[in-house]
Amino acid sequence: MGRKPCCKNKFGMMKKGSWTIEEDRKLTGIFLKYGQCRWSDVPKLAGLWRCPKSCRLRWINYLRPDVKRGPLSESEERVVISLHSKLGNKWSQIASHLPGRTDNEIKNIWNTTLRKKLIRKEIDYQAQKSFSISFCSSDKKKDEFADHQSEGNSQSWVTSSVHTNSSRSSSGGDSGLSHEFQMEFPGLDFDDHRVVNHVLPTSKRSDDDQEILKSSPNQSNSSEYDKVDRNSPESSQYLSNVDIDWDSFIDELDQLIPKFSLI
DNA sequence: AACCGCTGCAACCGCCAATAG
DNA sequence: CCTATTGGCGGTTGCAGCGGT
């Protein structure tokens, strides 16, 4: 489509474009008759003027009996997002975790629906981040913190806040954040080392963060985040404090400031 | 009704690794 | 070991359908 053809036979061009019902029937017939065979033989056996790659793609992405069609379920979306964060654009590997889904389908869904959803969430997050920073300086925050403290979840709330402000890949290091939070929350010990060592995963540390760790020789150089066995039940609470759940966080802030509305 | 822009998706392309000869 | 072939993967394109004006 719009590019030079990749396949020719001795008579000239192979057929391109959308597959017809008749072509689908011929291709399916080959698999019913012979089972899996060499893709290079398929067009000839099926009597199709298509290149082997085209046949393979049509079979894998559309005709294969176990192909699941339709939109992704919520759980499937979560799996895709989670795996993409770990694997990147390894669509075939991601698809292998979703029975009936193809790499092409996952790729399409990611490039259309999911990426937009995440961009929207990022916008939400940036708005939240700006709000959070200005919020730090208000007296009202101290009151809200006191409420959280009395409910016994102040550490979690502050850790979330620190992590929010520490997710700064685009804005560079800011070792003043711990100071800012310590000033705001005098009841908690949040020096730079603790912020870096206990909150930031190793992969998110900047050079400045590494220097902070070096300056505290008695401390391990690996993050508590990285030490957690994520499969253990005990880890879920810890990780929930570190891997911020945006929906919960936004809900939390919505409760704090009812007038604050998200984009 | 006609046009236009947007979206979703099927299909193509080039590249690369594995395998065969 | 070298070369050709094959299969698989990820990026990209173009079309069809839909909604808004």
Side-chain angles (χ1 to χ4, degrees):
Chain A
M1 289 181 170
R3 292 185 185 180
K4 64 181 179 182
C6 64
C7 297
K8 288 184 179 179
N9 65 6
K10 61 182 177 181
F11 304 110
M13 302 288 190
M14 289 288 192
K15 188 183 174 190
K16 292 169 60 180
S18 298
W19 282 66
T20 64
I21 295 170
E22 180 63 15
E23 286 175 316
D24 284 346
R25 193 185 60 75
K26 285 180 176 175
L27 185 57
T28 306
I30 288 302
F31 284 91
L32 292 175
K33 189 174 179 181
Y34 299 103
Q36 183 69 52
C37 53
R38 284 161 59 93
W39 288 111
S40 55
D41 295 336
V42 168
K44 190 178 173 183
L45 289 170
L48 290 166
W49 288 67
R50 296 276 185 175
C51 73
K53 278 189 172 185
S54 183
C55 293
R56 174 184 165 273
L57 215 61
R58 184 63 178 173
W59 174 257
I60 289 174
N61 290 331
Y62 199 85
L63 297 176
R64 212 177 54 187
D66 59 332
V67 167
K68 194 196 288 184
R69 309 203 63 79
L72 294 186
S73 66
E74 252 185 61
S75 58
E76 284 177 317
E77 281 190 1
R78 277 196 291 271
V79 169
V80 171
I81 292 168
S82 169
L83 288 174
H84 187 271
S85 71
K86 294 173 187 167
L87 301 172
N89 293 357
K90 301 291 182 187
W91 306 117
S92 59
Q93 288 181 40
I94 294 171
S96 69
H97 289 79
L98 296 163
R101 301 294 185 179
T102 69
D103 54 352
N104 203 41
E105 188 180 16
I106 299 296
K107 179 173 58 181
N108 280 332
I109 290 170
W110 178 267
N111 286 332
T112 55
T113 315
L114 288 183
R115 192 166 61 177
K116 284 171 190 169
K117 278 187 185 177
L118 290 177
I119 287 171
R120 186 178 166 80
K121 279 234 170 190
E122 175 66 13
I123 292 169
D124 288 349
Y125 157 59
Q126 292 296 344
Q128 204 59 76
K129 191 170 149 186
S130 306
F131 172 76
S132 176
I133 288 169
S134 59
F135 188 49
C136 283
S137 303
S138 70
D139 289 339
K140 185 162 186 175
K141 183 176 180 181
K142 292 192 176 85
D143 297 335
E144 301 300 344
F145 170 65
D147 291 343
H148 280 262
Q149 202 166 24
S150 65
E151 291 163 11
N153 59 357
S154 58
Q155 183 77 41
S156 166
W157 188 60
V158 174
T159 303
S160 294
S161 301
V162 172
H163 191 233
T164 301
N165 288 281
S166 299
S167 301
R168 56 190 189 282
S169 57
S170 61
S171 57
D174 184 359
S175 60
L177 284 169
S178 59
H179 173 72
E180 178 182 353
F181 275 89
Q182 195 163 10
M183 293 295 286
E184 294 294 334
F185 307 107
L188 293 168
D189 177 20
F190 269 103
D191 60 24
D192 284 346
H193 178 272
R194 286 175 66 88
V195 170
V196 173
N197 192 44
H198 294 277
V199 178
L200 279 181
T202 310
S203 60
K204 292 194 174 186
R205 288 177 193 164
S206 66
D207 292 343
D208 289 343
D209 296 332
Q210 297 295 348
E211 287 304 313
I212 290 167
L213 288 173
K214 283 179 189 171
S215 68
S216 302
N218 293 332
Q219 299 289 342
S220 161
N221 198 35
S222 64
S223 166
E224 292 299 319
Y225 178 99
D226 298 318
K227 291 178 191 168
V228 173
D229 173 8
R230 285 143 203 262
N231 295 321
S232 72
E234 297 78 20
S235 72
S236 59
Q237 181 58 42
Y238 180 87
L239 289 174
S240 71
N241 293 345
V242 178
D243 278 329
I244 191 163
D245 176 348
W246 295 117
D247 290 335
S248 303
F249 184 48
I250 289 166
D251 286 346
E252 194 174 31
L253 283 168
D254 273 345
Q255 287 169 12
L256 296 179
I257 308 289
K259 287 181 181 176
F260 180 72
S261 60
L262 294 168
I263 297 166

